[in-house]
């Protein structure tokens, strides 16, 4: 029996494939490489010594999905494939709704035709909008998203919830990630953004390596301890092991399960800058800049449900997140292009 990992060549997917292989699972990856490099899967092999069966193709392509389900004994799908650039989604909403929503509908339709009714979906804390409570539990109502990317996560959660309600044979796990950073501790795998990064940590590492001149900190007048926004950063290896733990909620009769994957600790943008400087013994060039549209002041999880029900808890702290992000960047200045 194997696990289909859609988007398995990407940042979180590739780290999860490592943890799945280390846990003894057989893995099949489907990825159209629109935002990744197949070298990530070569690195998976270097790290684990194990093979991954790779199909280059699209979740919107029914033929390739049928071929995968015919050629492999798939028991469950971990579904990472999706477009994720918040700013781009504002300018290309149709592309985002088609790729993420129509893609997921196509995937689950072909899964059910093949009799496979177990899925773990990559959702996001963005579905909480400006959260009604802090720390955020899974009972916190979903909020109003500020961009089409967020709405795709919000709607796919709803689609999978409705599907499970209509057909209780489905087992669905919605994992709401907080802010994934870090990289594989070997420095062989990490985040490989196209162009100028939007997210904080890849921006910081590119300033550190001299590709970008300085970090702009978006807003220092929020109602937070130091005025900069607070987020729940989580090491990508912890996120990866969270998926392995979540597989147990795909046992027959599990139904629908929702978990936050975070550490439960909030760090401000300035905390991240200072921890990065300390962990890597360097100074970062940064300036204060106006607020960025759509940012909420604070977003961090109550991560206790995953600990209680999955026996999963984040192991890595902010030091390791900063150390491993930099280790990846300095060992691979051009990502997988080197
Ligand atoms: P990523 O872009 O590195 O990985 C996504 C992968 O999906 C890429 O390899 C891409 O080529 C592939 N893909 C995209 N559309 C596809 C399609 N139609 N068919 C086949 N493959 C396709 O992103 P990531 O950071 O690893 O994120 C993985 C998932 O987690 C995404 O769904 C993302 O929205 C979600 N997520 C990410 C974050 C984050 O901050 N990184 C936070 C919350 C949720
Ligand atoms: N941020 C920043 N400068 C940057 C990128 C991000 O100050 O160049 C801030 C951003 O305003 C937010 C935090 O860092 O408060 C995390 O942003 P990111 O885009 O990484 O994740 P988000 O929480 O928005 O998903």
């Amino acid at each position: 029996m194997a696990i289909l990992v859609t988007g398995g060549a990407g940042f979180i997917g590739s780290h999860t494939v490592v943890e799945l292989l280390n846990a003894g699972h057989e893995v099949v990856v489907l990825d159209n490489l629109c935002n990744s490099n197949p070298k990530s899967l070569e690195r998976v092999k270097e790290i684990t010594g194990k093979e991954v069966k790779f199909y280059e193709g699209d979740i919107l392509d029914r033929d390739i999905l049928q071929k995968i389900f015919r050629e492999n004994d798939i028991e469950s799908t971990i579904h990472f494939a999706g477009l994720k650039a918040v700013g781009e989604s504002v300018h290309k909403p149709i592309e985002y709704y088609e790729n993420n929503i129509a893609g997921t509908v196509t995937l689950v339709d072909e899964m059910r035709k093949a009799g496979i009714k177990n899925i773990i979906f990559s959702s996001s804390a963005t579905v909480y909008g400006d959260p009604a409570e802090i720390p955020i539990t899974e009972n916190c109502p979903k909020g109003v998203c500020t961009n089409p990317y967020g709405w795709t996560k919000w709607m796919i959660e709803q689609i999978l919830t409705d599907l499970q309600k209509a057909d209780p044979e489905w087992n669905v796990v919605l994992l709401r990630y907080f802010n994934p950073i870090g990289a594989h501790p070997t420095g062989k795998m990490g985040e490989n953004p196209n162009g100028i990064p939007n997210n904080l940590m890849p921006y910081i590492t590119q300033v550190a390596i001299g590709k970008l001149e300085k970090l702009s900190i978006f807003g220092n007048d929020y109602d937070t301890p130091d005025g900069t926004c607070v987020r729940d950063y989580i090491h990508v290896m912890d996120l990866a092991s969270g998926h392995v733990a979540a597989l147990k909620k795909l046992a027959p009769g599990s139904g629908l399960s929702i978990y936050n994957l975070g550490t439960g600790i909030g760090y401000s943008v300035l905390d991240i800058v200072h921890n990065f400087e300390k962990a890597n013994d360097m100074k970062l060039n940064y300036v204060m800049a106006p607020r960025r549209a759509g940012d909420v002041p604070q977003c961090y999880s109550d991560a206790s449900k995953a600990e209680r029900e999955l026996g999963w808890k984040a192991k890595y702290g902010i030091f390791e997140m900063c150390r491993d992000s930099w280790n990846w960047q300095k060992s691979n200045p051009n990502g997988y292009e080197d």
Side-chain angles (χ1 to χ4, degrees), residues 62-257:
R62 288 182 183 271
D63 291 342
I64 198 156
L65 290 168
Q66 287 163 9
K67 182 173 154 73
I68 289 171
F69 296 137
R70 218 172 33 242
E71 292 180 354
N72 302 277
D73 189 8
I74 304 289
E75 57 179 329
S76 309
T77 299
I78 304 184
H79 177 33
F80 294 101
L83 299 175
K84 64 161 186 178
V86 170
E88 184 183 61
S89 78
V90 174
H91 301 292
K92 298 182 172 176
I94 298 303
E95 284 79 355
Y96 272 67
Y97 289 125
E98 182 178 26
N99 192 76
N100 294 5
I101 299 183
T104 302
V105 170
T106 309
L107 171 70
V108 293
D109 189 33
E110 290 302 330
M111 283 175 67
R112 70 174 172 173
K113 284 188 198 155
I116 302 156
K117 297 186 176 180
N118 297 314
I119 189 164
I120 296 178
F121 173 61
S122 296
S123 189
S124 164
T126 196
V127 300
Y128 294 115
D130 193 352
E133 60 180 41
I134 289 279
I136 307 170
T137 70
E138 292 81 353
N139 292 328
C140 178
K142 283 163 74 178
V144 174
C145 298
T146 51
N147 55 76
Y149 164 73
W151 284 119
T152 69
K153 295 295 173 195
W154 202 106
M155 289 186 225
I156 294 168
E157 282 202 357
Q158 188 62 44
I159 290 167
L160 295 177
T161 302
D162 291 341
L163 171 66
Q164 197 284 326
K165 206 182 286 173
D167 179 356
E169 283 184 7
W170 275 88
N171 299 302
V172 172
V173 182
L174 308 177
L175 296 180
R176 294 177 178 160
Y177 310 158
F178 282 69
N179 287 55
I181 58 172
H184 194 273
T186 58
K188 288 179 190 287
M189 291 168 49
E191 193 168 3
N192 192 29
N194 282 330
I196 297 179
N198 295 303
N199 295 113
L200 180 62
M201 186 52 86
Y203 205 102
I204 286 179
T205 60
Q206 293 203 11
V207 171
I209 205 152
K211 283 190 169 184
L212 296 169
E213 190 201 339
K214 56 179 183 286
L215 171 73
S216 295
I217 296 185
F218 300 140
N220 63 347
D221 57 352
Y222 286 99
D223 185 15
T224 59
D226 65 20
T228 65
C229 290
V230 171
R231 295 288 182 273
D232 183 342
Y233 296 90
I234 175 169
H235 197 294
V236 66
M237 293 307 295
D238 277 328
L239 207 54
S241 67
H243 290 75
V244 179
L247 285 173
K248 74 168 71 141
K249 281 289 169 183
L250 296 180
S254 298
L256 174 77
S257 316

